[in-house]
Amino acid sequence: MTGGPVESCLPPDASGTDEAIAALAERVDAVRSDAVGAESSPIKKPGTSVRMHASRDAIIGSKILAATGSDKQRQAAPGGAPAPRILIVRLSAIGDTIHSLPLAAALRQAFPAAYIGWLVEKPSAALIENNPLLDWHHVLPKGWLKFLSRVRALAGTLRAERFDIAFDIQGLTKSAVAARLSGAGTRIGFTRGEARELAPLLDNLLVKPQGRHAVDMTLSLLRGIGLSPPARGEFVFPPPGESDRAAVDRVVNSDKYQDGFVLMGPWGSFAAKLWPLDRFRDVAVRIRAETGLHCLMLGHGDAERNRVEELAATAPDALSPAPDVSLTGVVELARRARLFVGCDSFPMHAAAAVGCHTLGIFAVTDPARLGPYGPTGRSIYDTLVLPKSTRERRKLDDSCIKRLTVEPVLRACLEMIRAQ
């Protein structure tokens, strides 16, 4: 599986030239924009049918296939060699990157000598850089597909690694194009529904997702190379940097936290996910009174940290700002905490992944799919409103999550602390 050259994913008559790369960038961006515009249009044209949509997708897909070159790449036998060269494409977001880590762990266990690489965008890169599961990684800036220089660089970088198999976990046009640019003969992705946009037309081995949680669904891609997914995913993170480790050690070794601490993550990517900050503060005060444990609240960036400091000043005996650490520092903080309580976001997923007792607060995302993964996790909500798309979720206000009061959250926290 590792011998021999990989054919270029660019047209054979212009392989490697600037003109071919330029044409690729322009054509992919044009047909993707056309497809996204058509799919997002709120107007249903008269006579539109499933068959017409399928026909349109087939036409757009054929244009993308032409834009990314011949499909006559070396066809590797999936899993047929002891040391395959495997590329994982999970570009973003941070929480989704965490959910994808068990795939790398399962591949490393199945193929100890494999060469495993990961293609990631910058916001999630800290979880991939220096990850002991990986032999190689490459960090892309967001919007890379729109720029000739970035597409040219990616095409050359990926071809040089000679990947046999690519896993398109993200299931979007940009991730499927990246997998195709790798030259891998086997490009494994999800069937339509889980995969969106044009990914099902660009990946060439489609797997129907199994399981309800995002981690288990991702692991089901292993069936594409004839492997049975593990019963439970394993998470391996990069070690924290020296400054992060020192900051966490100062917390753990402080007299204030000699019995441990509760980590709070009140932030998320849009308003409908956010439980009110003052309710977190009220939970912290009650936890302190009931258990003696102090709470630390995360905040990333000046705006969040300023709000945390203002809130902590109203309950200094119960709540303090967490140290200002990187993504891997947050993972380490969660690893040392007695309990994590927070909204559906990266810190919640990180806490559950490292085995911290984790309480996730939900309202507009599905806890069955995105709740804290594993036996130490628990989800809580008053009412669930589950729009079909992220775009619709982002339009919602915080009225649904506000229905959840302090008392049930406090009760769940105390139960989880006392059960330890």
Side-chain angles (χ1 to χ4, degrees), residues 6-8 69-75 180 183 185:
V6 173
E7 294 185 22
S8 171
S70 171
D71 200 29
K72 295 180 180 179
Q73 295 147 318
R74 180 163 55 88
Q75 296 298 314
R180 188 174 175 82

Side-chain angles (χ1 to χ4, degrees), residues 35-70:
V36 172
E39 290 184 356
S40 62
S41 173
I43 301 174
K44 185 176 182 181
K45 296 180 181 179
T48 298
S49 66
V50 173
R51 180 174 295 181
M52 291 175 65
H53 281 300
S55 175
R56 183 205 66 202
D57 285 350
I59 292 170
I60 295 171
S62 68
K63 292 180 180 179
I64 288 280
L65 291 173
T68 52
S70 171

Side-chain angles (χ1 to χ4, degrees), residues 215-229:
V215 171
D216 297 321
M217 294 170 72
T218 298
L219 287 170
S220 67
L221 288 174
L222 292 167
R223 299 185 187 279
I225 55 173
L227 295 178
S228 296

